[in-house]
Amino acid sequence: MGAQKKSSAAAAARISDDPEELSRVPLQAVLLADSFTTKFRPITLERPKVLLPLANVPMIEYALTWLESAGVEEVFVFCCAHAKQVTNYLQCSQWLSQPNFSVATIESHNSVSAGDALRLIYERNVIHGDFILISGDTLSNMSLNRALQEHKERKKKDSNAVMTMVIKRSKLSPVTQQSRLGTDELFMAIDPDTKQLLYYEENTNHLKGTLSLDKMLLIDNPSITLHNDMQDCFIDICSPEVLSLFTDNFDYQHLRRHFVKGLLVDDIMGYKIYTHEIHSSYAARVDNYRSYDTISKDIIQRWTYPLVPDVLLFGNSATKLEREGIYRATEIVQSRSAQIGPLTVIGNGTRIGNNTKITNSVIGKGCSIGSNVLIEGSYIWDNVTVEDGCQLKHSIVCDGVVIKSGSVLSPGVVLSFKVVVGQNFTVPAYSKVSLLPQPTKQDSDEELEYADNNSDIETSPIAGAHDNLNGELTSDLTDMQSSAAEELGSGGAGYIWSICEGASEEEWRHSVAPVPAEKLAEISQTIDDDLDFSYQDGNAPASSGELKPGGLSDSDDDDVDANNDSAYFEKEVEATFLRAVHENVKVDHVILEVNSLKLSYNMEFAACAGAIFYSMMKLALGTPYNSSAELYNAVVNVLTSWKRLLKSYLSGKDEEIEIILKFEEMCSELAKELSPLFTKILCFLYDKDMISEDAILDWESEKNYADESDRVFVKQAEKFLQWLREASEEEEEED
Amino acid sequence: MPDVQSLVNEFILKLKKRKVEGSQATSRHAAVLLRSVISQQRIGYTNQAGTLIDAVKAVGEQLVAANPVELAVGNIVRRVLHIIREEDLSLTTAAMAGLNLSALSDDDDDTGPVDHPVLSAAAVAAASRSTLRPPSLQTLLEDMPDSTAVPHTSSSGGDSEGKSKSADKSSRSRKLKHDVIEALNELIQDIDTCHEQIAEQAVEHIHHNEVILTLGSSRTVLQFLCAAREKKRSFRVFVAEGAPRYQGHLLAKELVSRGLQTTLITDSAVFAMISRVNMVIVGAHAVMANGGVIAPVGLNMVALAAQRHAVPFVVLAGSHKLCPLYPHNPEVLLNELRSPSELLDFGEFSDCMDFGSGLGSPLLHVVNPSFDYVPPKLVSLFITDTGGHNPSYMYRLIADYYSADDLVLQRKAASSS
């Protein structure tokens, strides 16, 4: 970190040296304290997402701490849903009184999307230079210096480079085709030299294996790299133009779906987006329950160092790291017989009873956990009571929940604030339980999520009432209990939200629980089937040896590979052949070399024959000629001198037909000069016993049903074919 | 004093974020901070030392809690407390000495403010308490008139000089603070010059045509080696690269730029090379009271290899790295686990850490500790700014620098928070 410090000092020095930067604007950041989604419901009905604890520390703390340490001087926290809670939290925290780091809140009650938020910020006219745009649920420890500098330099050269996106490599799960953060597969096309982002697409359909790229992309850019293993960190370095772009395009709502894609598609203004890949540092965004789980584990495994529980960055209570990644706060009452397993965080003032087993979990402050409890992979927030004999597996339990004795939480359960689970009750898997009834207005359509957020605002006063009027809560609870008791066993309180149709299918994807084994088996089965299918139809175009012009299929990797392979193979063979010609290599050696190429590219003899013939023709075309007669002579020369090489690959009729097809293809596309000589050369090949008459006749019959345009050469060779047919008839007659 | 408080907060934040690296920088920063705390502290006429000690302790607790792994902070806090105690004591004794000056000078044959006006406050204090506890070896040596061979300890702070004899009650209030700040200035200067002081001894230890092995990078080691080089010693250095941060690479670069014959090896090659090595010279993170060393990771292995081949294992440590705690003390956090990203590429291994499938717990764990503990029996020699010492002598040295009352600093911090 010493180096980091030095580089930051150096960067600062550079900035101050720069004459253009004399009136230096402080580095600003916009932190969106609202995700504008409903993925964390029902919890987010009562508390904004940014205040949810991640390893016992609210998410916004991580974001602000990172911004501060990365050298940001001014942060605008944009709050929308539960704005009061966020501002109250910030007022109570140390953030508003930091030297050299100012935090200002911007409240809005009618913004329904990131787009609205940025438009409002533009209206306030508070952003004066380049700024960092992050969401309040982003966690990172990267150093911004490099990325910022790159951004500024690009900006100086090209004023259209308005944004730099931070990306990080992270492999997809091969089975479920989703990232470890539970997000959908993301395809990005990036120019490897300039790092310009050319294409950005989230693949929401997990079984559909194709995506189409604009042909222009391939034409305009000499090289592009296509990634599906990149994770979007949702950290953007933006120029002020971004805000005005949002204002100009009032229909931009979603940062990625509308803004990024909009810029990429629209080439009139020519705005460009670049990427910055981080390697050693960490960055991720809590997008859904799965990423909540993954990022919590990453924190516990210290990828986010120094943002880890035992480093006292957040004014949290002293925590000690023990072996195997157990973080224990200093004041814990723990029974001697309790077993704390690896990768566990236990908050201050928590009591743990006899024979209780806890593994892979995070337990908040002031919880009381009874005896013989089993807690596995769960996230238990503050002041939760778990009575004796309960089993909690892969669930999220919010503040103040009471789980009565003998209850079982199946994997994927989410219990919102102050829910009471009755005795010996089993909460079914993936169910979401809240004291608030499910909003009746349900928009399952994700595209309308910003509209959906309206209902969030409508219900938030109720949530506030719950928080504020603790005294009345008990009476509330009794009311609730009468209505919702039967839903959560005897003495329970809360509504089990019904899962809207369609989403239930996908519930396991975004849950905290690991994907169940049966589901994995099921998916891998369908994928296998799919692959078989794609292999079957994938082989046909593979031998044609060229890319499909319309699109580039990606998940059919084998298809592309085959295409590429055959192209490479041809090139290799040609190179080998030319070398042989120029260096007088013996025919036997050439055959050996071509054979090894054939093996390494897994090609067939037909392909070898085609490739060799192709290279011979190329050689002949390469020699200077004035008339078609001379060209013919050249071809004949080459063919006669290398006859043995070609012959060694012509073991059957198929290979011979392949040669004719290749020849035809060459004449029609590559070397028009050869086309008048087609018949003559074919005749010559026949004379020299390289191609049998059967092969030629078969070729003709194959072409019988082809288009008129494809039959040009058949027509040209009509006389020769006629003669062949007669000759064979004669032979038969003689027999 | 909002001024000091903001300074304290700033430093605490830096410590928390692990933004200050290196014991020397940290301890210097801490000492400077405590100096301003003391200079701004108002003190009354009674119990001045107590007020100062409380003020320093209050700040010290926060500093230690901010980064308990950086032991140098606690060391400096304890040193400052010790200095205050000593100065207070010396003032009191000086006052007493002033009252019965004639009697003292008659009895004392070798110590006494009159005979040796340059005598340090610490020496006076130690002498005055000599009936309570045995005098430390250091002070005994210092008391000898021909003690030029031994460099002055840093705790022997503000010279009492002639002024100290003025037992005036009114001037004493300013006197204590003044003396403490003087002593602190000396401490800061000592921290600043500790590298040079250690490096001065280089020629005594490094001889012609020797092969020196070191691991990772330490500024003390670099200056030590360069000092020997400047004195025209020709020797070769093996640098183990010090995975996973590879600071050995930087050290090798530095050494080469100063014209030293350098060989860079991997950490795992240390054992193979150790038989060709004449001496291992390394830096330390902290030296504990029992003579054990908390050192960059990998050094325990080097020490074991050195012991196997009977190669001297020499540890260089400025006196600010001496920690009065024992490593078995539960308050001592021995290690800091850093990010696994220093070890492996996240992108490449991200599929090994997928929590979404399987049991929900990953099979791969990556542990990246920053420090090793080298037990005292593996260390041949400590070279501090006060000279070379045996590991078994460390507790003695520590008794000179710290007073036993302050050892519990941390425990108090834990209970009060």
Side-chain angles (χ1 to χ4, degrees):
Chain A
M1 230 184 269
Q4 203 175 322
K5 224 175 104 190
K6 249 180 259 163
S7 69
S8 77
R14 210 166 301 135
I15 287 168
S16 57
D17 286 347
D18 210 328
E20 288 175 26
E21 303 266 346
L22 271 180
S23 58
R24 199 178 78 88
V25 277
L27 181 56
Q28 295 174 311
V30 172
L31 187 150
L32 302 176
D34 193 332
S35 60
F36 304 108
T37 60
T38 57
K39 286 180 185 162
F40 267 82
R41 284 193 175 191
I43 303 174
T44 45
L45 282 187
E46 295 172 58
R47 193 186 279 186
K49 188 172 159 197
V50 290
L51 295 186
L52 304 185
L54 200 60
N56 290 340
V57 176
M59 292 181 197
I60 197 170
E61 286 282 335
Y62 289 101
L64 287 173
T65 308
W66 168 62
L67 285 176
E68 206 251 300
S69 61
V72 173
E73 288 153 272
E74 215 175 341
V75 177
F76 297 97
V77 177
F78 185 91
C79 345
C80 185
H82 306 291
K84 263 267 101 39
Q85 283 191 47
V86 177
T87 46
N88 282 346
Y89 176 83
L90 287 175
Q91 259 150 24
C92 296
S93 72
Q94 28 136 356
W95 288 113
L96 297 185
S97 58
Q98 291 279 320
N100 311 324
F101 184 67
S102 79
V103 177
T105 52
I106 297 176
E107 279 185 51
S108 157
H109 294 289
N110 46 16
S111 298
V112 291
S113 69
D116 284 348
L118 291 177
R119 278 186 279 275
L120 190 77
I121 289 167
Y122 182 71
E123 279 168 28
R124 295 282 176 98
N125 199 19
V126 286
I127 299 292
H128 309 295
D130 290 345
F131 65 100
I132 320 290
L133 176 61
I134 65 164
S135 164
D137 42 18
T138 309
L139 186 89
S140 175
N141 61 359
M142 69 177 278
S143 150
L144 280 173
N145 295 324
R146 274 271 311 283
L148 260 177
Q149 211 179 312
E150 280 176 15
H151 179 79
K152 287 202 169 123
E153 272 164 19
R154 270 197 293 265
K155 192 76 205 298
K156 224 175 266 175
K157 274 187 229 141
D158 180 359
S159 62
N160 279 336
V162 287
M163 186 161 121
T164 303
M165 257 167 70
V166 175
I167 55 171
K168 182 167 178 65
R169 196 166 155 229
S170 168
K171 287 185 190 167
L172 286 178
S173 155
V175 181
T176 54
Q177 291 297 311
Q178 63 177 3
S179 72
R180 55 197 292 278
L181 295 178
T183 49
D184 295 319
E185 189 172 11
L186 177 66
F187 291 112
M188 279 194 237
I190 294 167
D191 187 316
D193 301 321
T194 62
K195 304 286 176 219
Q196 190 188 342
L197 180 74
L198 302 168
Y199 180 79
Y200 184 100
E201 182 73 54
E202 265 178 330
N203 183 15
T204 44
N205 186 350
H206 304 280
L207 295 176
K208 198 182 100 193
T210 56
L211 87 164
S212 50
L213 282 179
D214 192 353
K215 199 160 69 186
M216 292 306 287
L217 268 186
L218 298 168
I219 293 167
D220 290 345
N221 299 284
S223 60
I224 59 171
T225 50
L226 195 61
H227 299 276
N228 71 346
D229 59 350
M230 283 298 174
Q231 167 200 324
D232 187 350
C233 301
F234 294 93
I235 297 169
D236 303 324
I237 299 162
C238 307
S239 301
E241 285 91 334
V242 170
L243 291 180
S244 50
L245 272 172
F246 265 100
T247 314
D248 295 344
N249 300 281
F250 51 85
D251 55 335
Y252 281 178
Q253 304 288 359
H254 193 276
L255 264 181
R256 294 289 184 255
R257 225 169 289 152
H258 300 123
F259 176 69
V260 169
K261 282 196 194 168
L263 285 201
L264 290 175
V265 170
D266 173 30
D267 46 4
I268 298 165
M269 302 300 287
Y271 286 116
K272 288 171 192 154
I273 296 173
Y274 288 85
T275 56
H276 173 80
E277 192 185 345
I278 50 173
H279 295 278
S280 60
S281 35
Y282 185 86
R285 180 184 168 202
V286 181
D287 179 67
N288 49 42
Y289 287 123
R290 163 73 32 87
S291 42
Y292 180 85
D293 175 56
T294 309
I295 293 172
S296 296
K297 296 270 162 61
D298 286 344
I299 294 170
I300 293 170
Q301 294 200 317
R302 307 180 79 77
W303 287 99
T304 58
Y305 183 91
L307 304 174
V308 289
D310 64 322
V311 175
L312 303 159
L313 275 175
F314 319 105
N316 43 352
S317 52
T319 305
K320 265 196 195 169
L321 172 61
E322 294 163 25
R323 255 172 220 177
E324 289 193 296
I326 302 170
Y327 297 81
R328 238 189 278 248
T330 41
E331 281 155 57
I332 290 175
V333 183
Q334 184 193 333
S335 157
R336 200 170 278 275
S337 57
Q339 292 176 38
I340 311 285
L343 303 182
T344 299
V345 180
I346 295 176
N348 221 4
T350 289
R351 312 166 66 87
I352 300 169
N354 298 327
N355 294 319
T356 289
K357 271 178 97 172
I358 301 175
T359 51
N360 289 317
S361 301
V362 176
I363 316 273
K365 300 179 205 67
C367 294
S368 120
I369 292 165
S371 304
N372 300 313
V373 175
L374 178 73
I375 299 178
E376 229 180 70
S378 298
Y379 296 88
I380 294 173
W381 297 356
D382 300 346
N383 302 316
V384 172
T385 309
V386 181
E387 293 183 0
D388 297 353
C390 291
Q391 284 191 24
L392 286 77
K393 283 186 182 166
H394 304 288
S395 31
I396 293 180
V397 179
C398 298
D399 292 4
V401 169
V402 177
I403 302 173
K404 296 203 171 161
S405 55
S407 303
V408 176
L409 300 191
S410 315
V413 166
V414 176
L415 299 184
S416 187
F417 298 91
K418 297 190 174 103
V419 163
V420 180
V421 178
Q423 252 172 7
N424 298 322
F425 183 78
T426 303
V427 185
Y430 303 121
S431 49
K432 298 191 168 119
V433 186
S434 170
L435 278 188
L436 300 172
Q438 190 162 19
T440 42
K441 190 177 147 200
Q442 265 292 353
D443 289 303
S444 61
D445 192 352
E446 236 199 329
E447 286 297 329
L448 292 171
E449 64 194 14
Y450 43 90
D452 192 23
N453 217 60
N454 282 329
S455 61
D456 200 355
I457 297 158
E458 282 159 26
T459 49
S460 59
I462 311 170
H466 269 290
D467 282 351
N468 297 335
L469 309 172
N470 267 333
E472 285 173 37
L473 191 72
T474 38
S475 61
D476 258 13
L477 269 180
T478 45
D479 285 359
M480 294 268 186
Q481 269 164 8
S482 57
S483 64
E486 57 274 18
E487 282 199 44
L488 280 173
S490 62
Y495 297 96
I496 299 182
W497 284 24
S498 62
I499 297 159
C500 47
E501 329 74 61
S504 64
E505 260 301 295
E506 302 291 290
E507 199 62 45
W508 53 269
R509 276 188 188 278
H510 304 303
S511 152
V512 272
V515 182
E518 11 349 327
K519 204 84 204 176
L520 280 178
E522 189 184 307
I523 303 165
S524 50
Q525 187 56 45
T526 45
I527 286 178
D528 280 351
D529 293 351
D530 257 31
L531 278 186
D532 286 349
F533 179 70
S534 65
Y535 277 137
Q536 276 161 18
D537 68 354
N539 271 344
S543 55
S544 76
E546 65 177 24
L547 289 172
K548 275 182 278 178
L552 196 102
S553 68
D554 184 78
S555 90
D556 283 2
D557 258 359
D558 293 276
D559 193 345
V560 179
D561 280 350
N563 279 336
N564 282 342
D565 272 354
S566 61
Y568 280 133
F569 173 72
E570 271 188 18
K571 278 215 182 91
E572 292 265 17
V573 169
E574 196 187 335
T576 313
F577 180 71
L578 285 180
R579 200 160 35 82
V581 171
H582 294 304
E583 294 173 19
N584 273 331
V585 182
K586 276 189 191 156
V587 174
D588 290 342
H589 293 183
V590 181
I591 291 172
L592 260 180
E593 278 194 46
V594 173
N595 276 344
S596 68
L597 281 174
K598 165 185 172 289
L599 285 176
S600 68
Y601 282 96
N602 197 13
M603 288 295 166
E604 283 161 353
F605 272 108
C608 295
I612 289 172
F613 184 76
Y614 177 75
S615 9
M616 284 173 163
M617 286 298 140
K618 277 283 265 277
L619 179 70
L621 283 167
T623 52
Y625 57 86
N626 293 325
S627 64
S628 55
E630 275 182 50
L631 179 61
Y632 176 69
N633 281 340
V635 171
V636 166
N637 273 341
V638 172
L639 281 178
T640 40
S641 53
W642 294 96
K643 182 182 158 193
R644 202 154 76 80
L645 174 65
L646 191 57
K647 276 288 272 192
S648 64
Y649 288 97
L650 296 177
S651 51
K653 205 164 69 179
D654 287 350
E655 282 78 13
E656 290 166 10
I657 294 175
E658 171 74 20
I659 282 195
I660 302 174
L661 285 171
K662 194 89 201 168
F663 188 28
E664 195 187 1
E665 189 191 315
M666 274 185 87
C667 292
S668 60
E669 280 171 31
L670 199 86
K672 291 269 193 294
E673 312 89 295
L674 272 176
S675 49
L677 297 172
F678 180 81
T679 320
K680 269 179 114 173
I681 293 172
L682 193 65
C683 197
F684 174 77
L685 286 171
Y686 173 73
D687 272 347
K688 293 286 170 202
D689 269 342
M690 281 189 257
I691 293 176
S692 65
E693 57 183 277
D694 284 356
I696 298 173
L697 290 174
D698 277 6
W699 165 69
E700 189 217 1
S701 58
E702 237 179 71
K703 287 278 168 180
N704 266 345
Y705 305 100
D707 283 351
E708 203 56 32
S709 56
D710 270 349
R711 288 172 52 85
V712 175
F713 292 103
V714 179
K715 279 200 186 124
Q716 196 193 344
E718 189 52 52
K719 271 189 179 166
F720 175 58
L721 290 170
Q722 187 71 37
W723 177 80
L724 272 181
R725 272 196 291 274
E726 282 168 15
S728 61
E729 275 164 26
E730 275 173 27
E731 270 171 37
E732 271 168 33
E733 279 170 20
E734 279 172 27
D735 285 339
Chain B
M1 280 147 277
D3 190 12
V4 179
Q5 197 51 48
S6 68
L7 279 177
V8 170
N9 286 342
E10 199 181 312
F11 186 51
I12 286 176
L13 265 179
K14 271 190 183 168
L15 282 175
K16 280 184 176 174
K17 284 182 207 142
R18 310 295 198 248
K19 277 211 171 153
V20 242
E21 274 229 342
S23 311
Q24 199 205 10
T26 318
S27 46
R28 187 174 193 284
H29 208 135
V32 171
L33 184 73
L34 289 175
R35 185 178 62 185
S36 51
V37 167
I38 288 171
S39 69
Q40 301 238 348
Q41 180 70 37
R42 270 169 220 276
I43 49 172
Y45 288 115
T46 52
N47 194 21
Q48 296 160 346
T51 329
L52 282 187
I53 286 173
D54 286 347
V56 170
K57 263 196 176 166
V59 174
E61 274 172 20
Q62 297 176 45
L63 294 185
V64 171
N67 186 357
V69 182
E70 184 54 272
L71 296 165
V73 180
N75 298 346
I76 292 301
V77 172
R78 291 189 186 91
R79 280 281 281 277
V80 173
L81 290 173
H82 182 65
I83 286 171
I84 298 171
R85 285 178 207 279
E86 297 282 86
E87 292 298 338
D88 183 43
L89 204 59
S90 83
L91 274 182
T92 333
T93 41
M96 285 197 306
L99 288 176
N100 42 15
L101 188 69
S102 52
L104 244 174
S105 55
D106 281 343
D107 296 350
D108 263 26
D109 43 357
D110 61 347
T111 61
V114 187
D115 298 340
H116 305 287
V118 286
L119 202 65
S120 67
V124 178
S128 72
R129 277 185 302 175
S130 58
T131 48
L132 298 171
R133 59 163 200 190
S136 75
L137 194 60
Q138 193 70 41
T139 39
L140 283 183
L141 288 172
E142 252 185 21
D143 288 345
M144 289 202 285
D146 55 342
S147 61
T148 43
V150 181
H152 278 278
T153 64
S154 51
S155 76
S156 55
D159 300 350
S160 40
E161 299 196 4
K163 281 181 285 172
S164 69
K165 274 173 288 174
S166 60
D168 231 15
K169 268 276 171 191
S170 56
S171 71
R172 250 197 74 191
S173 62
R174 260 168 284 131
K175 190 88 188 68
L176 175 68
K177 220 160 105 172
H178 176 259
D179 282 355
V180 169
I181 288 172
E182 279 287 291
L184 267 177
N185 283 338
E186 210 154 299
L187 171 65
I188 292 166
Q189 201 191 336
D190 269 345
I191 295 171
D192 285 340
T193 58
C194 77
H195 289 327
E196 288 88 62
Q197 294 210 8
I198 294 173
E200 266 173 30
Q201 307 163 49
V203 264
E204 296 165 27
H205 298 279
I206 299 177
H207 306 288
H208 254 299
N209 296 329
E210 275 193 342
V211 177
I212 310 290
L213 183 130
T214 185
L215 181 136
S217 175
S218 152
R219 207 130 38 90
T220 327
V221 172
L222 174 66
Q223 296 211 3
F224 193 80
L225 296 175
C226 292
R229 165 79 192 161
E230 275 157 25
K231 299 265 167 62
K232 301 286 176 248
R233 288 280 146 87
S234 82
F235 55 97
R236 303 200 319 143
V237 185
F238 285 176
V239 182
E241 59 186 355
R245 298 175 77 188
Y246 302 111
Q247 286 180 319
H249 298 175
L250 302 176
L251 181 72
K253 209 172 174 185
E254 285 278 333
L255 289 176
V256 166
S257 72
R258 298 181 197 203
L260 266 163
Q261 190 61 247
T262 308
T263 309
L264 189 71
I265 58 171
T266 58
D267 295 349
S268 38
V270 164
F271 200 90
M273 303 297 263
I274 200 87
S275 56
R276 293 167 56 190
V277 171
N278 297 95
M279 187 190 274
V280 178
I281 299 179
V282 293
H285 173 68
V287 179
M288 309 310 289
N290 66 342
V293 184
I294 296 178
V297 69
L299 274 183
N300 194 25
M301 178 196 71
V302 176
L304 283 167
Q307 191 198 36
R308 177 78 172 70
H309 287 265
V311 175
F313 186 82
V314 177
V315 176
L316 309 183
S319 57
H320 57 269
K321 290 187 180 175
L322 300 185
C323 179
L325 302 172
Y326 284 85
H328 50 73
N329 186 336
E331 298 303 320
V332 183
L333 278 175
L334 285 177
N335 229 331
E336 169 109 339
L337 294 179
R338 299 176 62 89
S339 168
S341 61
E342 288 175 355
L343 264 72
L344 40 83
D345 181 41
F346 183 86
E348 200 56 47
F349 283 84
S350 53
D351 50 342
C352 303
M353 290 168 301
D354 199 341
F355 307 99
S357 43
L359 299 166
S361 69
L363 295 170
L364 180 71
H365 288 256
V366 189
V367 180
N368 179 15
S370 0
F371 302 121
D372 251 358
Y373 173 65
V374 182
K377 63 172 184 185
L378 297 181
V379 181
S380 318
L381 187 70
F382 283 103
I383 300 177
T384 70
D385 36 5
T386 60
H389 303 287
N390 250 345
S392 57
Y393 180 71
M394 277 298 134
Y395 84 99
R396 206 55 220 242
L397 209 57
I398 278 161
D400 278 351
Y401 288 136
Y402 306 100
S403 78
D405 305 344
D406 302 326
L407 297 189
V408 285
L409 184 76
Q410 241 169 318
R411 202 164 299 153
K412 202 183 161 201
S415 61
S416 70
S417 70

